[in-house]
């Protein structure tokens, strides 16, 4: 093959670094090699492109091994003034053509992507000049008449249109929630007020979601300045009332770009002074700063970036000189493509609107879920419920859990209780799931009884897998009548859905069951119908990924293969996603089962790999992938056959997967879904035939499905939904994990079009 036949692709990271960039680089390199392209890393962003030389390096399959768990970007990033000049870009074009690179994947913010677009537009002119100067031959120039580019957004701020999440934003939220949780505990010990400043010059995303996830008491963001000039008084009143109601700490989160209606900056120090003066108590400022950028990427940032990188290569592989430059992002839980510059312009429009004090437009441009989150937060931070409006229907609503514990259950209860109280309802907490409903173990929950629950793992109300049957149903009917329960809110997993369906079906026999019933998906297994994601799964995934990082580190010195067993029951979601996020070379799923010939093939791959110098192997097995080929069996088999070449260890992760404080994503979604469930119960109560439903996230939107349809939507025998969107990601995991393809080896090439939040 001559140089001209092989497609050559360059990848660079530019602007501020963001956790997850490495996963994107790894995916780009491996997907490109898989497609038969040559791939070059351009080190130090545009600076490396201008400098050329060894800053532009051809990448191999193994060169990107073991980088996914690292923060920042291993290929470096920079801000480069020279690239802003035409002379700089001329030099950059020459350096790319030396390697005959005419396709670029740029991972950066709005600036980097604008630079890439300008470079692309100038390309023909730059080439003509280089030919004229004799620096590039006519033939080379003729072979690369156009530069083809694809952009991915790397930025912790989540400030770009065209993608719901930018690479790094989820990890930054993790850092913020960890820090705020930690500060809350010390603040509570001393009854102090803390003002916490988070990043975000023109974008309040991190501040708003951070506040929602941690149960902070007040938030100041650029898009929504306080709506009155006496906001100081209102804020102090609220904090004071909180103290009187029994709160021990007060947390105010300030985005670095916060401002008032007139556009005057509101600094964290200003807020601190104001609080100290008016409240007469100790107030401290913590500026989180670069901590937010640092550290290992979250599971989501690893998987999303991997899917984005894969899709970017797919796009460039089929690009032609007149293809429009695209931005690859994730919208509504699917990988999407949008015109690059339209996205950049839309993002800038928000900044422009803020600068022009047109805040209504700014928040409108941010989209519906941003506003939804802001409205929910405004209610949740109130110390005490609003006084009841005249004519408002006041209901008695019961909240309970069912199924295994899932991080985020408490968060959902807190939101349900406060939003319910805010509407004038009485909120009843049922202890220990359906057993509590049978026994009448119920107490009213007031506003402060759920204080601090936003960030708490476990399930304070208790949960059980009890699915009521027989005489239980009479007992439940009695409790419902005795307690005058007018709506049932079940936050839980598989057995909760079964129980709800049973009550729903028995409505003719038990008139008491003729009340609205709603289920909110909370299960680490992500095995519930009607929702692409269930609450708790993201936390479990992060738990798994963190432990696997440690397991991998423990093996630096020896040649070792780990067989890691993860939970999920008959659903392979956790296994597949953790394999994508850790770069495991093999994943065993219950959906596929395990065959002896699979194990033989995997073993021979392992032997090959270790013979070629590989030092670490990682296989992930779902706990019920096979009844016969257990984790122990597979480990023993590999150990025996690995002989002196490698040793094998098994790691059964167990219950640590269910524990821990909920991740920011689980907290935010739990809050969002709980709010909608309270709306549902409020709207349905009192109708002659009450509805039973389960809520969920489908393609990024909140959807309700009728309990009527439950049997149709599930595979009862395997206790999982019939349709599982993430199954289509399997081939991508396979492509990226297998060792460098040798020539002549063919395998199916998956499409990345319909991928998702992982
Ligand atoms: P972030 O703001 O998230 O940190 P960014 O990509 O917006 O990331 P910038 O500093 O704006 O960061 O841009 C990074 C680099 O991209 C610049 O140093 C410069 O080399 C190049 N660049 C930015 N804007 C342009 C432009 N208009 N023309 C040419 N190059 C540009
Ligand atoms: Mg920028």
């Amino acid at each position: 093959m001559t140089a001209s036949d092989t497609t050559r692709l360059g990848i660079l990271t530019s602007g501020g670094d963001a956790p997850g960039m490495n996963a994107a680089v790894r995916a780009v390199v491996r997907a490109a090699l898989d497609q038969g392209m040559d791939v070059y890393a351009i080190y130090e962003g545009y600076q490396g492109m201008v400098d050329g030389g060894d800053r532009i390096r051809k990448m191999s399959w193994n060169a990107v091994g073991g980088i996914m768990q690292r923060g920042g970007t291993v290929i470096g990033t920079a801000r480069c003034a020279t690239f802003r000049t035409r002379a700089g870009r001329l030099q950059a074009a020459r350096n790319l053509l030396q390697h005959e690179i005419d396709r670029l994947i740029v991972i950066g913010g709005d600036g980097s992507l604008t630079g890439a677009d300008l470079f692309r537009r100038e390309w023909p002119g730059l080439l003509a000049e280089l030919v004229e100067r004799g620096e590039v031959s006519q033939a080379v120039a003729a072979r690369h008449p156009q530069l083809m580019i694809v952009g991915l957004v790397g930025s912790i701020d989540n400030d770009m249109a065209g993608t719901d999440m930018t690479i790094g934003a989820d990890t930054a939220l993790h850092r913020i929630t960890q820090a705020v949780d930690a500060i809350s505990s010390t603040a509570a010990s001393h009854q102090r007020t803390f003002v916490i400043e988070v990043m975000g010059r023109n974008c309040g995303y991190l501040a708003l979601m951070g506040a929602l996830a941690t149960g902070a008491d007040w938030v100041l963001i650029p898009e929504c300045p306080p709506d009155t000039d006496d906001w100081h008084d209102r804020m102090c009143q609220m904090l004071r009332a909180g103290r009187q109601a029994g709160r021990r700490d007060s947390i105010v989160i300030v985005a670095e770009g916060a401002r008032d209606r007139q556009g005057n900056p509101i600094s964290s120090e200003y807020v601190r002074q104001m609080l100290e003066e008016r409240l007469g108590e100790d107030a401290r400022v913590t500026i989180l700063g670069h901590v937010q950028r640092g550290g290992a990427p979250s599971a989501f940032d690893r998987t999303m970036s991997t899917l984005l990188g894969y899709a970017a290569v797919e796009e460039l592989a089929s690009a032609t000189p007149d293809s429009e430059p695209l931005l690859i992002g994730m919208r509504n839980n699917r990988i999407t493509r949008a015109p690059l510059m339209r996205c950049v312009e839309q993002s800038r429009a928000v900044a422009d609107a803020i600068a022009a004090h047109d805040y209504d437009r700014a928040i409108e441009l941010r989209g519906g879920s941003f506003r939804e989150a802001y409205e929910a937060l405004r209610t949740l931070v109130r110390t005490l419920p609003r006084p009841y409006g005249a004519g408002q229907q006041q209901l008695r609503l019961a909240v309970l859990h069912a199924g295994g514990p899932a991080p985020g259950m408490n968060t959902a209860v807190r939101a349900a209780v406060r939003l319910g109280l805010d509407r004038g309802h009485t909120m009843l907490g049922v202890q220990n799931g359906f057993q509590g409903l049978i026994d009448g173990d119920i107490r009213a929950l007031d506003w402060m009884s759920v204080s601090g629950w936003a960030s708490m793992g476990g399930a304070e109300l208790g949960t059980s897998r009890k699915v009521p049957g027989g005489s239980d149903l009479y007992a439940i009917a009695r409790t419902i009548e005795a307690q005058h329960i007018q709506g049932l809110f079940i936050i839980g997993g598989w057995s909760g859905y079964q129980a709800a369906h049973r009550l729903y079906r028995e409505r003719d026999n038990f008139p008491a069951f003729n009340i609205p019933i709603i289920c909110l998906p909370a299960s680490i297994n992500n095995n519930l119908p009607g929702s692409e994601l269930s609450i708790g799964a993201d936390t479990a995934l992060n738990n798994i990924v963190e432990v696997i990082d440690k397991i991998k580190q423990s093996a630096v010195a020896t040649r070792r293969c780990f067989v890691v067993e993860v939970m999920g029951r008959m659903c392979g979601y956790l296994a597949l996603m953790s394999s994508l996020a850790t770069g495991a070379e093999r994943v065993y799923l219950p959906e596929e089962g395990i065959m002896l010939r699979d194990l033989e093939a995997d073993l021979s791959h392992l032997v090959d790999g270790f013979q070629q110098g590989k030092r670490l192997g990682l296989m992930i097995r779902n706990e019920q992938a096979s009844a016969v080929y257990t984790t122990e069996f597979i480990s023993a088999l590999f150990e025996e056959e690995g002989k002196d070449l490698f040793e094998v260890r098994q790691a059964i992760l167990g219950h640590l997967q269910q524990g821990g404080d909920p991740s920011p994503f689980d907290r935010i979604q739990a809050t969002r879904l709980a709010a909608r469930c309270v709306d549902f119960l409020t709207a349905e109560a009192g109708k002659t035939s009450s509805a039973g439903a389960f809520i969920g996230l489908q393609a990024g939107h909140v959807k309700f499905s009728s309990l009527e349809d439950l049997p149709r939507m599930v595979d009862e025998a395997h206790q999982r939904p019939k349709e599982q969107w993430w199954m289509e990601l399997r081939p991508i995991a396979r492509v990226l994990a297998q060792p460098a393809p040798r020539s002549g080896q063919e395998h199916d090439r998956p499409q990345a079009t319909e991928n998702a939040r992982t």
Side-chain angles (χ1 to χ4, degrees):
M1 220 183 244
T2 65
S4 54
D5 293 333
T6 313
T7 305
R8 291 162 171 219
L9 177 147
I11 167 139
L12 70 149
T13 51
S14 171
D17 65 317
M21 282 178 162
N22 289 329
V25 170
R26 170 181 175 274
V28 165
V29 168
R30 293 194 170 175
L33 292 172
D34 181 65
Q35 300 254 5
M37 298 187 215
D38 283 350
V39 53
Y40 291 77
I42 300 162
Y43 285 74
E44 317 305 333
Y46 290 120
Q47 190 62 50
M49 209 191 281
V50 172
D51 295 346
D54 73 348
R55 293 266 169 108
I56 304 182
R57 274 180 248 164
K58 195 168 165 178
M59 299 300 273
S60 68
W61 189 274
N62 291 331
V64 290
I67 63 171
M68 223 188 328
Q69 68 271 26
R70 288 161 66 179
T73 163
V74 294
I75 62 172
T77 180
R79 301 196 196 265
C80 169
T82 325
F83 191 76
R84 289 177 185 272
T85 66
R86 192 172 188 281
R89 294 189 292 274
L90 191 70
Q91 220 168 307
R94 194 197 56 196
N95 289 330
L96 290 185
L97 284 173
Q98 263 184 3
H99 301 282
E100 301 215 22
I101 297 169
D102 63 4
R103 286 159 216 245
L104 276 185
I105 294 174
V106 179
I107 310 178
D110 57 335
S112 307
L113 300 177
T114 305
D117 186 63
L118 177 62
F119 190 39
R120 181 193 68 92
R121 282 185 282 120
E122 285 180 349
W123 183 265
L126 295 172
L127 255 60
E129 193 172 331
L130 289 168
V131 170
E132 198 173 298
R133 289 196 193 181
E135 295 189 44
V136 163
S137 76
Q138 188 77 55
V140 167
R143 279 204 291 270
H144 308 288
Q146 261 303 351
L147 179 70
M148 290 159 267
I149 59 174
V150 165
L152 306 183
V153 192
S155 158
I156 66 162
D157 288 348
N158 206 25
D159 55 355
M160 276 285 286
T163 189
D164 292 343
M165 288 295 275
T166 56
I167 294 173
D170 185 62
T171 306
L173 261 185
H174 274 260
R175 295 295 103 81
I176 291 168
T177 43
Q178 281 157 352
V180 177
D181 286 354
I183 290 170
S184 297
S185 59
T186 160
S189 311
H190 295 274
Q191 301 217 28
R192 257 188 199 136
T193 301
F194 268 87
V195 181
I196 300 171
E197 183 180 309
V198 304
M199 284 185 173
R201 275 160 297 180
N202 285 309
C203 186
Y205 177 86
L206 291 177
L208 176 58
M209 296 305 171
L212 202 57
T214 55
D217 303 288
W218 199 265
V219 67
L220 292 158
I221 57 175
E223 295 91 337
C224 314
D227 45 16
T228 53
D229 288 330
D230 65 347
W231 62 273
H232 309 76
D233 297 331
R234 295 215 2 244
M235 177 172 160
C236 291
Q237 241 172 35
M238 199 79 89
L239 296 180
R240 217 177 277 125
R243 278 299 158 80
Q244 278 156 9
R247 255 185 206 158
R248 292 187 54 88
D249 62 321
S250 304
I251 303 280
V252 177
I253 297 187
V254 184
E256 62 183 334
R259 65 203 78 201
D260 66 18
R261 287 262 130 193
Q262 286 73 42
N264 306 309
I266 302 177
S267 72
S268 44
E269 178 52 27
Y270 173 79
V271 176
R272 185 195 68 79
Q273 273 179 16
M274 193 258 294
L275 291 177
E276 206 160 69
E277 277 162 23
R278 297 190 185 208
L279 296 178
E281 64 178 55
D282 222 14
R284 303 284 164 97
V285 171
T286 300
I287 296 174
L288 296 186
H290 282 78
V291 164
Q292 293 163 87
R293 255 185 212 293
S298 67
F300 174 68
D301 270 323
R302 298 183 201 194
T303 41
M304 178 185 73
S305 304
T306 297
L307 298 176
L308 293 179
Y310 186 90
V313 170
E314 216 177 43
E315 196 57 50
L316 279 186
S318 58
T320 59
D322 40 45
S323 299
E324 189 180 15
L326 294 178
L327 181 138
I328 308 243
M330 205 196 54
R331 303 199 63 185
N332 300 329
N333 204 22
R334 295 291 182 277
I335 299 292
T336 52
R337 296 148 171 78
L340 180 71
M341 286 318 288
R342 203 180 68 203
C343 299
V344 171
E345 279 150 22
Q346 275 176 11
S347 318
R348 297 219 166 124
V350 184
D352 292 345
I354 293 171
H357 307 177
D358 188 352
Y359 302 111
D360 292 338
R361 174 143 180 77
I363 190 145
E364 183 196 315
L365 286 167
R366 283 275 180 249
S369 54
F370 194 92
R371 179 188 289 276
E372 195 188 330
Y374 188 66
E375 294 303 329
L377 185 73
R378 279 167 65 117
T379 301
L380 290 169
V381 298
R382 260 202 309 275
T383 324
L384 297 166
R386 258 194 303 227
Y388 307 145
Q392 209 173 321
Q393 203 188 3
Q394 295 176 19
L395 303 168
R396 290 173 62 82
L397 303 177
V399 186
L400 71 157
H401 297 306
M409 280 180 156
N410 287 327
T411 320
V413 173
R414 167 184 178 268
V417 166
R418 292 201 169 168
L419 296 167
L421 290 173
D422 185 58
R423 289 170 162 253
H425 305 323
T426 298
M427 300 305 289
L428 305 167
V430 181
Q431 296 290 320
N432 301 320
F434 280 91
Q435 193 58 52
L437 209 51
I438 293 166
D439 301 339
D441 193 357
I442 293 174
R443 66 191 154 103
L445 297 170
D446 66 16
W447 194 270
M448 291 310 293
S449 69
V450 290
S451 179
W453 286 24
S455 54
M456 227 186 262
E460 290 295 301
L461 288 180
T463 181
S464 75
R465 291 211 166 82
K466 171 99 188 163
V467 179
S471 62
D472 297 338
L473 298 178
Y474 289 98
I476 291 176
R478 263 199 310 277
T479 306
I480 290 175
E481 276 159 6
Q483 295 276 349
H484 304 290
I485 294 170
Q486 293 163 291
L488 211 52
F489 185 1
I490 301 157
I491 299 163
W494 189 265
S495 47
Y497 279 54
Q498 277 192 309
H501 185 249
R502 189 159 295 168
L503 298 194
Y504 182 77
R505 239 185 24 213
E506 296 283 345
R507 287 182 305 171
D508 289 343
N509 300 331
F510 297 92
F513 297 166
N514 200 14
I515 53 174
I517 301 175
I518 185 82
C519 300
L520 185 154
S523 163
I524 67 159
N525 302 328
N526 201 31
N527 60 348
L528 299 168
S531 192
E532 290 173 1
L533 292 163
S534 57
I535 305 304
D538 185 58
T539 308
L541 209 49
N542 278 291
N543 289 343
I544 294 170
V545 165
E546 267 173 45
V547 179
I548 290 181
D549 283 354
K550 287 179 188 152
I551 288 177
K552 281 168 118 178
Q553 282 170 350
S554 78
V556 280
T558 47
R559 282 178 301 186
R560 198 170 264 188
C561 174
F562 289 97
V563 182
V564 176
E565 181 181 304
V566 302
M567 285 182 166
R569 302 192 148 219
M570 292 300 279
C571 171
Y573 178 80
L574 288 179
L576 181 72
M577 288 301 167
S578 60
S579 86
L580 265 176
T582 56
E585 49 242 75
R586 184 65 161 97
V587 56
Y588 301 107
L589 306 177
E591 286 82 358
E592 299 176 322
I594 306 177
M595 313 264 260
L596 186 58
R597 63 164 183 273
D598 296 336
L599 294 176
E600 278 168 353
D602 296 339
L603 184 59
S604 89
H605 255 99
L606 274 180
V607 170
D608 277 2
F610 280 108
Q611 270 167 353
Q612 283 163 31
K614 166 195 188 66
R615 289 167 57 183
L616 182 73
L618 176 63
M619 327 292 260
I620 295 180
R621 181 185 173 281
N622 160 285
E623 58 186 353
Q624 294 184 21
S626 161
V628 177
Y629 300 131
T630 60
T631 303
E632 206 176 332
F633 176 91
I634 296 176
S635 305
L637 175 75
F638 289 178
E639 173 77 37
E640 175 64 16
E641 298 288 322
K643 305 241 161 32
D644 296 337
L645 193 54
F646 60 92
E647 52 183 41
V648 181
R649 293 284 183 275
Q650 68 169 30
I652 295 173
L653 300 191
H655 284 86
L656 69 86
Q657 294 164 85
Q658 288 181 324
D661 295 339
S663 69
F665 179 82
D666 279 335
R667 298 183 195 188
I668 293 162
Q669 297 308 330
T671 304
R672 182 181 179 199
L673 293 180
R676 299 293 295 275
C677 288
V678 171
D679 289 347
F680 175 90
L681 293 176
T682 309
E684 291 296 326
K687 290 192 180 167
T688 39
S689 175
S690 294
F694 42 105
I695 197 172
L697 295 164
Q698 290 174 33
H701 299 287
V702 177
K703 294 265 165 67
F704 292 89
S705 312
S706 169
L707 277 173
E708 195 83 52
D709 297 329
L710 184 75
R712 214 172 35 73
M713 292 168 76
V714 296
D715 172 350
E716 193 75 46
H718 295 106
Q719 302 204 348
R720 64 187 176 224
K722 280 189 183 144
E723 277 173 39
Q724 303 194 98
W725 60 273
W726 49 268
M727 286 287 280
E728 67 201 25
L729 306 180
R730 282 171 308 156
I732 298 177
R734 215 170 293 148
V735 164
L736 297 178
Q738 72 190 359
R742 272 157 279 159
S743 53
Q745 229 177 22
E746 278 296 324
H747 45 73
D748 298 339
R749 199 158 282 146
Q751 292 283 315
T753 37
E754 290 285 284
N755 307 327
R757 182 190 204 277
T758 41

